[in-house]
Amino acid sequence: MQQCEQVREWFYLGQARERTELARKTAELVKTAGGALPVSALRDLDALEKDIQAAWDKDTVPDGTALFSRAFAIRRAILFTHPALQFERMFVNKNPPTRYSHNCDQYRGAESRVGEGPSVLTGWRTDKPKTTPLLKGKMPEGAYQKPCLSYDAKRFVFGFAEKKKDARDQQFFLYEAAIDGSSVRQLTGTERDKLVTWENRLTVPVEDEDPCYLPNGDIVFVSSRSQNFGRCHGGRFAPTFVLYACDKNGDNIRQLSYGIENETTPSVLPDGRILFTRWEYVDRHEMEFHKLWWKRPDGSMVSHYYGNDTIHPLMISEARAIPGSLKVLANGMGHHNYHAGSIIRIDITKGENGPESVTRITPEIPYAEAETGYSTHGQYSTPFPLNENLFLATYSPVEVHSQGRLPPETPYIIALVDDFGGREPIYIDPDAACFSPIPIVPQKVPSIIPNQLPDPKTLKGKDATTGIYMVQDVNLTRNDPEGKLKPGDIKFLRFNQIYVKNIPGSDKISRDVPNAAPKRILGTVPVEPDGSVSVRVPAGIPLQIQALDKDGRAVLTERSFHYVHPGEKRGCIGCHEPVGTSLKPNPNLFTREPRELTPEPGQDDGEGVSFLKMVQPVLDKHCIACHGLAGDPPKGINLIPSPGHDWPSSYIALLAYTKTIGDKGKSSGLQNNISRPYDYYALGGTFVTAFMEKHKDKKIPITKRDFQRIVNWLDMNAQCYGTFNYNRKEYYDIGADAEKALREMIKERFGPALAAQPICALVNGARPEESRILMAPLAAAAGGWEQVKNGWTDKNNPEYKKFAAAVNDLFTYPEPAVRGTCGFDNGCRCGSCWVRLKDEEKNPPPEIAVGLDLPKYDRTKLSVFEVDSEAGSDPAAKMLDGDEVTFWHSRYGGDEKQYPHLITLKLADSTQIAGLYLLNRTVGGENGFIKKYRISVSADGKAWKDVTEGNLRRTVKEQRIVFDAPVRAQYVRLTALSAIHGHNYASIAEIGMLLPKK
């Protein structure tokens, strides 16, 4: 023990020496800043240095702890005379970190923990600092998130989530309070807030967080109103937040961003631009690019600020402009943890990428996940710059917690950090985590950037839904260091829409890139002879640009995304032009009428590129005769697709000849994540060579248009499906009886050999109009393939129409998505139906809300008069037992009856009825959900009159069918005409009559 004490004293003696050196640097810093150095502290420092040296020269054990204590006090005395620290009050937020450590999940109110919230810290330069809670007794119990102080230091805005019994109901919304705590008000999520979501989806509870005052008094924040998810969460409910804005009262909420993944921690640069963190992985590694971007306060001109071609740190967050400087302070952190890491300073005058622009303020804390995993032995959060040298921040000695771990509630203290090694503790609350230190002093208001976008109310026609994109010269690029591209090589630009992932759980769209984003080809535009482009593009969606050669193949691809707002005009000098490239005069670019996009072949149904829709018809036309229908196919490549809802076998066969990008196991490292000419896609793989070169002697008459469809698929990173939803058209079922009938038709018209071919060689359920049995016999002049004799000259031929109808009758398709969800309310697959159902409890949709004010007929006076089929364990009487769990079910198994199904109810006597209500089965899945129905009435159960027909909703909510006018009847018949999922059986949990209003 004695030896340990001796070691401790010698250790602290060394620390005391280092502390005096730090004090000298601090004194120089204060002097340079014009501060008044305390004479007594300097005198004490001189004396201390002598005492330390004397202790160091002696052979006896020094009193190192005492010397260090003196050094600690002297340095503080000098430091606190700095001009930047001459404020009395400091704002802090007392709230534990999130329960789930992840850069996305930390924003969920469901993962929040209750805290004391905003407080004012006084006496912070003394040994007895004190905090005063501002909202105690004024707010319910809940969690407080990332407050922002107004420029006049009189108000602050913050995110707050009230604690609820069901954690899923905990939602962050924006609140504003006076800095003296005298008032507080809710800004968003109020009755005035219509909670409008992107594309009217309802897959995520609306939450608003990360608020920041704009120079004009408005507030920018991040919100889940975008209703989408990151693609790599494995079905976990981790919504995406993107930038929105509102006015000072929380009204006029508008979407600033059409981002794909999370955007976080917005702040304002001195020139008025919004600086924020944007995560993206369009055709690149899914974890390495959370870097800084900027945009105007109106949302226009979204542009890169720093780091999108820089891997380490994986994420840069909590960036703030340093007062009186062109630099910003930020936090360098990992991907799989909440906002905690190592403080860095960024100077983009040294470059918008690369380590040369970064100064590591706290180099003792490595970048989490990039340098030492998560064993960081310390972390910083919410850094606030006082100047280029001094920074407030939250510090914790615990390591950064990786995904899913529960961070401790303490200790998280307020510290003062400098860029030459000082780490001064300011305030420690042993019972509460303290974040967001902000001096309570007025700040200089940044410049106000006037709105650059036209008033949406003034936009008419296509101007209301589009913007204009201009490129000065496509030949200017920094992405061709080897000079592979020559002026004139780029002949077209292709614009693609990138779809967001609107549900947490979904089927993958690519087998080779599990977390790929589906893309839709919007069209192409030719490059003018001078290399310029001016084109009209859709507004309000994520866009990707590809530079194409004369054959329509991508030679360079934007491995990122951008967007325009309605009426926005924006552009660039080149395709990622070299830094410092000046704009050459070209007034015609800004004055000429923009071109329109030319649609691409095979892409015309409003969804993303689908292999079965875009490529399979080409394979059916040109390839399956050898590769599938003629015995053993060459090289074992069978291009007839397999039936079912998995990866089509023809798709898998062609993947071997592609070169895709984005799988994190294959795309780590900068060299794989920066676009280079001919690197991936159609020109990167071997398919083009294999097809064009090895099939020359086959003389396959493939047209340029057909081949372009294959090229387009390859350039879309060889995705298989064009949507994330479970409601894909490719997920069709083929009816056995309908198939039998079609084969008989084929046999009669074209012979038994064609009729016996595999069904997937004859028809294409994803694109029925391009089914081989319709196209092969059709004349080329009519757009057909003219491959089968005894065919049709045009599509007006009655027999062609008969065949087309028979093909369409083959397929049963999934029901459409409901507000972005899969709509399988009684067996949700997407993980978001609960959000919509919760909303429908308060705001029933029209098809459910109709007739809610109508009274119900007495159930005890209603009986089942007739039913055409019932299972022994689920008789029709269960529709009237008042139990929502039990249900009637038609027979199933080997003796099931096909549709239609008849259910006849008898009332006690003749009654005026206004309609009918029913409830689908609420347990055991959706088998038997009725789709199309007809309602008939009768006075005697013999003569029937049809009243109405329509489609039921796929829901476990009660549905009401209200007649156009009340009718008198004693017998009511429901005829079920079809099932939601195309099966033979039907089921109903509860049914009854509606009466007219009294």
Side-chain angles (χ1 to χ4, degrees):
M1 180 63 71
Q2 185 178 7
Q3 288 181 337
C4 290
E5 292 177 354
Q6 292 175 359
V7 171
R8 181 187 64 185
E9 294 301 329
W10 280 108
F11 170 79
Y12 275 105
L13 178 62
Q15 292 293 303
R17 171 174 283 182
E18 290 184 11
R19 190 75 175 181
T20 57
E21 294 173 358
L22 183 61
R24 289 293 180 191
K25 294 179 182 179
T26 305
E28 187 62 30
L29 178 68
V30 173
K31 182 179 178 181
T32 302
L37 290 169
V39 177
S40 60
L42 293 176
R43 186 169 54 247
D44 292 343
L45 182 57
D46 291 338
L48 175 61
E49 288 177 330
K50 293 179 181 179
D51 292 344
I52 291 175
Q53 187 61 46
W56 200 271
D57 293 338
K58 290 182 179 179
D59 293 333
T60 58
V61 176
D63 190 356
T65 52
L67 291 171
F68 176 75
S69 180
R70 288 170 57 192
F72 186 87
I74 292 171
R75 197 262 174 170
R76 285 176 71 91
I78 295 173
L79 177 63
F80 289 162
T81 62
H82 194 285
L85 301 178
Q86 302 314 301
F87 55 89
E88 300 302 322
R89 299 185 302 158
M90 188 187 303
F91 185 98
V92 296
N93 184 37
K94 292 188 173 184
N95 205 97
T98 175
R99 292 191 301 129
Y100 190 103
S101 182
H102 190 276
N103 81 82
C104 296
D105 302 69
Q106 65 182 325
Y107 281 92
R108 290 194 64 203
E111 301 294 351
S112 64
R113 293 197 280 192
V114 171
E116 186 176 313
S119 303
V120 171
L121 173 63
T122 55
W124 60 274
R125 288 176 299 198
T126 71
D127 293 336
K128 295 182 180 180
K130 176 186 176 182
T131 56
T132 303
L134 293 173
L135 301 179
K136 188 175 182 179
K138 297 181 176 68
M139 297 285 288
E141 187 179 32
Y144 298 82
Q145 189 261 8
K146 283 193 167 60
C148 177
L149 196 62
S150 63
Y151 295 108
D152 61 7
K154 294 180 179 180
R155 308 176 314 282
F156 61 95
V157 62
F158 59 98
F160 175 77
E162 182 179 356
K163 182 177 175 58
K164 298 291 183 68
K165 183 177 181 180
D166 185 346
R168 296 187 306 179
D169 293 331
Q170 294 170 185
Q171 296 169 261
F172 277 105
F173 289 111
L174 303 189
Y175 289 73
E176 186 183 55
I179 195 62
D180 60 3
S182 60
S183 64
V184 62
R185 60 177 182 149
Q186 185 173 350
L187 298 180
T188 64
T190 66
E191 291 184 359
R192 303 190 316 275
D193 188 347
K194 302 304 181 183
L195 301 177
V196 175
T197 59
W198 192 3
E199 298 178 338
N200 196 36
R201 293 192 298 268
L202 193 55
T203 57
V204 178
V206 170
E207 298 192 69
D208 303 325
E209 304 172 60
D210 271 13
C212 175
Y213 287 106
L214 291 171
N216 67 350
D218 287 356
I219 300 167
V220 61
F221 58 97
V222 303
S223 178
S224 64
R225 296 167 194 257
S226 57
Q227 300 291 294
N228 52 307
F229 295 79
R231 289 170 270 133
C232 58
H233 298 322
R236 194 173 77 256
F237 200 89
T240 288
F241 289 74
V242 303
L243 292 183
Y244 278 71
C246 65
D247 64 22
K248 63 181 180 180
N249 295 315
D251 299 323
N252 189 28
I253 296 174
R254 57 221 184 255
Q255 188 169 354
L256 298 187
S257 172
Y258 301 96
I260 300 174
E261 271 79 43
N262 265 30
E263 298 173 349
T264 58
T265 58
S267 64
V268 181
L269 293 167
D271 60 12
R273 292 177 296 163
I274 297 171
L275 181 67
F276 63 100
T277 298
R278 176 169 116 170
W279 177 25
E280 60 172 54
Y281 49 103
V282 176
D283 297 352
R284 61 197 330 214
H285 196 278
E286 64 196 42
M287 301 183 318
E288 295 178 341
F289 300 98
H290 304 248
K291 303 302 161 52
L292 299 181
W293 289 70
W294 67 266
K295 64 173 54 183
R296 295 171 181 150
D298 60 10
S300 64
M301 276 303 293
V302 60
S303 302
H304 175 240
Y305 184 82
Y306 174 80
N308 210 42
D309 285 345
T310 303
I311 292 181
H312 301 307
L314 301 184
M315 182 171 185
I316 300 174
S317 69
E318 301 181 319
R320 286 178 177 268
I322 297 175
S325 170
L326 295 176
K327 304 168 186 175
V328 300
L329 190 72
N331 213 352
M333 54 175 282
H335 166 86
H336 292 102
N337 60 267
Y338 65 101
H339 287 149
S342 183
I343 301 175
I344 59 177
R345 185 174 58 210
I346 301 172
D347 182 0
I348 62 168
T349 64
K350 298 179 180 179
E352 62 178 282
N353 277 294
E356 296 81 10
S357 303
V358 175
T359 300
R360 301 183 68 162
I361 304 300
T362 56
E364 71 277 11
I365 307 294
Y367 294 145
E369 200 172 353
E371 294 178 333
T372 60
Y374 291 96
S375 301
T376 57
H377 306 295
Q379 55 176 271
Y380 286 93
S381 298
T382 58
F384 187 94
L386 301 172
N387 56 32
E388 284 198 36
N389 311 108
L390 292 173
F391 321 101
L392 293 168
T394 292
Y395 172 75
S396 178
V398 301
E399 68 176 1
V400 172
H401 291 77
S402 58
Q403 176 178 337
R405 293 178 60 193
L406 178 67
E409 293 201 14
T410 58
Y412 294 87
I413 72 170
I414 304 300
L416 182 62
V417 179
D418 59 53
D419 63 353
F420 51 84
R423 311 289 184 260
E424 202 72 31
I426 296 296
Y427 177 70
I428 302 173
D429 186 333
D431 301 317
C434 297
F435 289 89
S436 302
I438 306 172
I440 303 178
V441 294
Q443 301 287 333
K444 182 180 179 180
V445 181
S447 300
I448 296 177
I449 300 178
N451 194 328
Q452 305 291 303
L453 297 175
D455 185 344
K457 297 177 182 178
T458 67
L459 296 174
K460 306 296 183 182
K462 59 186 177 183
D463 289 335
T465 58
T466 63
I468 296 173
Y469 201 91
M470 296 169 286
V471 182
Q472 179 80 19
D473 187 351
V474 299
N475 300 299
L476 297 173
T477 179
R478 76 185 79 167
N479 287 36
D480 184 20
E482 298 179 8
K484 294 180 178 180
L485 292 176
K486 302 298 184 288
D489 283 355
I490 299 174
K491 297 296 186 181
F492 305 89
L493 293 186
R494 179 193 288 138
F495 283 78
N496 306 322
Q497 176 181 356
I498 303 174
Y499 286 95
V500 301
K501 186 169 182 283
N502 56 294
I503 47 180
S506 70
D507 282 357
K508 305 296 184 183
I509 65 110
S510 168
R511 199 189 74 156
D512 276 10
V513 187
N515 293 312
K519 307 181 190 76
R520 173 192 177 197
I521 300 175
L522 298 172
T524 60
V525 59
V527 174
E528 306 297 340
D530 63 357
S532 68
V533 171
S534 178
V535 61
R536 187 179 297 276
V537 298
I541 60 174
L543 298 171
Q544 179 192 51
I545 300 177
Q546 292 183 302
L548 312 182
D549 65 9
K550 61 182 178 60
D551 296 317
R553 299 173 295 185
V555 296
L556 269 180
T557 293
E558 179 185 19
R559 307 267 282 279
S560 182
F561 69 93
H562 64 281
Y563 44 82
V564 294
H565 291 259
E568 181 179 356
K569 297 180 180 179
R570 70 159 299 169
C572 56
I573 299 175
C575 293
H576 293 285
E577 67 279 355
V579 176
T581 302
S582 60
L583 187 67
K584 61 183 180 181
N586 188 352
N588 176 53
L589 177 64
F590 302 98
T591 58
R592 71 183 185 229
E593 183 69 18
R595 288 182 179 265
E596 302 292 334
L597 289 171
T598 301
E600 285 286 273
Q603 178 69 75
D604 56 6
D605 64 353
E607 290 188 349
V609 166
S610 160
F611 179 85
L612 289 178
K613 296 177 185 177
M614 178 169 276
V615 178
Q616 192 61 52
V618 180
L619 304 181
D620 291 345
K621 179 180 179 181
H622 299 288
C623 306
I624 67 172
C626 295
H627 291 276
L629 295 176
D632 294 334
K635 295 186 179 297
I637 302 173
N638 189 330
L639 296 179
I640 298 175
S642 52
H645 300 174
D646 203 352
W647 308 114
S649 55
S650 52
Y651 168 76
I652 295 175
L654 291 189
L655 279 182
Y657 299 91
T658 66
K659 187 178 181 184
T660 57
I661 180 63
D663 175 52
K664 69 179 179 181
K666 303 175 184 177
S667 60
S668 183
L670 200 56
Q671 71 280 2
N672 293 315
N673 288 284
I674 300 179
S675 183
R676 293 287 185 258
Y678 315 110
D679 54 358
Y680 294 96
Y681 316 112
L683 289 170
T686 60
F687 179 87
V688 173
T689 302
F691 187 91
M692 298 298 285
E693 297 298 326
K694 296 183 179 180
H695 286 73
K696 280 182 178 179
D697 58 334
K698 304 291 194 258
K699 297 182 180 179
I700 299 175
I702 186 169
T703 64
K704 181 177 180 180
R705 184 176 179 84
D706 285 343
F707 191 66
Q708 187 65 51
R709 291 173 69 156
I710 297 177
V711 166
N712 289 347
W713 168 68
L714 293 167
D715 281 348
M716 294 305 102
N717 211 23
Q719 65 189 43
C720 185
Y721 296 106
T723 174
F724 282 118
N725 285 353
Y726 287 91
N727 313 72
R728 294 169 175 165
K729 190 174 183 179
E730 295 92 333
Y731 286 2
Y732 58 83
D733 291 319
I734 296 178
D737 292 337
E739 179 184 343
K740 182 179 179 181
L742 177 63
R743 289 187 182 278
E744 287 298 322
M745 292 173 59
I746 298 172
K747 180 179 179 181
E748 181 178 348
R749 178 64 188 260
F750 301 112
L754 185 60
Q757 289 181 359
I759 190 62
C760 289
L762 296 171
V763 298
N764 185 331
R767 183 159 278 173
E769 66 274 18
E770 288 195 289
S771 290
R772 179 165 158 267
I773 193 56
L774 297 178
M775 299 297 289
L778 185 64
W785 304 344
E786 206 167 311
Q787 295 175 336
V788 175
K789 295 180 180 180
N790 192 30
W792 309 291
T793 58
D794 58 62
K795 294 182 180 180
N796 291 320
N797 183 290
E799 194 167 36
Y800 171 88
K801 293 182 177 180
K802 180 181 177 182
F803 266 75
V807 168
N808 286 323
D809 287 344
L810 277 178
F811 309 111
T812 301
Y813 296 103
E815 287 295 297
V818 183
R819 294 201 69 181
T821 70
C822 68
F824 290 84
D825 296 352
N826 194 31
C828 175
R829 304 177 187 181
C830 69
S832 277
C833 288
W834 68 271
V835 180
R836 176 175 49 80
L837 294 174
K838 271 181 173 287
D839 180 76
E840 289 178 359
E841 291 177 3
K842 303 176 183 177
N843 308 295
E847 59 268 40
I848 288 181
V850 64
L852 287 180
D853 57 344
L854 296 178
K856 293 180 177 180
Y857 180 75
D858 186 351
R859 182 194 306 274
T860 62
K861 297 180 180 181
L862 194 62
S863 61
V864 177
F865 178 74
E866 179 185 20
V867 63
D868 69 343
S869 173
E870 58 184 347
S873 58
D874 302 307
K878 289 189 176 182
M879 290 186 290
L880 302 175
D881 64 1
D883 188 340
E884 295 184 355
V885 174
T886 63
F887 53 86
W888 158 75
H889 201 292
S890 64
R891 290 195 307 272
Y892 52 89
D895 60 346
E896 60 202 40
K897 180 185 179 300
Q898 296 184 7
Y899 273 82
H901 290 285
L902 306 180
I903 304 157
T904 305
L905 303 174
K906 182 179 181 181
L907 289 74
D909 48 29
S910 181
T911 305
Q912 282 280 109
I913 56 175
L916 177 148
Y917 68 90
L918 61 81
L919 181 71
N920 282 319
R921 62 188 293 182
T922 60
V923 295
E926 296 185 333
N927 284 342
F929 273 30
I930 297 168
K931 182 179 182 181
K932 190 173 183 179
Y933 67 84
R934 181 186 302 120
I935 306 293
S936 310
V937 297
S938 172
D940 57 6
K942 298 178 181 179
W944 294 92
K945 177 183 178 181
D946 295 340
V947 179
T948 187
E949 65 179 43
N951 291 322
L952 290 173
R953 196 167 185 266
R954 189 176 72 196
T955 181
V956 291
K957 300 288 185 181
E958 182 183 287
Q959 301 181 74
R960 298 192 169 202
I961 303 168
V962 179
F963 304 154
D964 291 338
V967 296
R968 179 169 291 278
Q970 189 173 3
Y971 298 87
V972 179
R973 173 174 289 169
L974 169 67
T975 303
L977 299 172
S978 65
I980 288 286
H981 300 299
H983 304 304
N984 289 329
Y985 26 82
S987 66
I988 296 176
E990 292 294 309
I991 195 169
M993 298 297 114
L994 297 172
L995 302 175
K997 291 182 182 178
K998 295 182 180 179

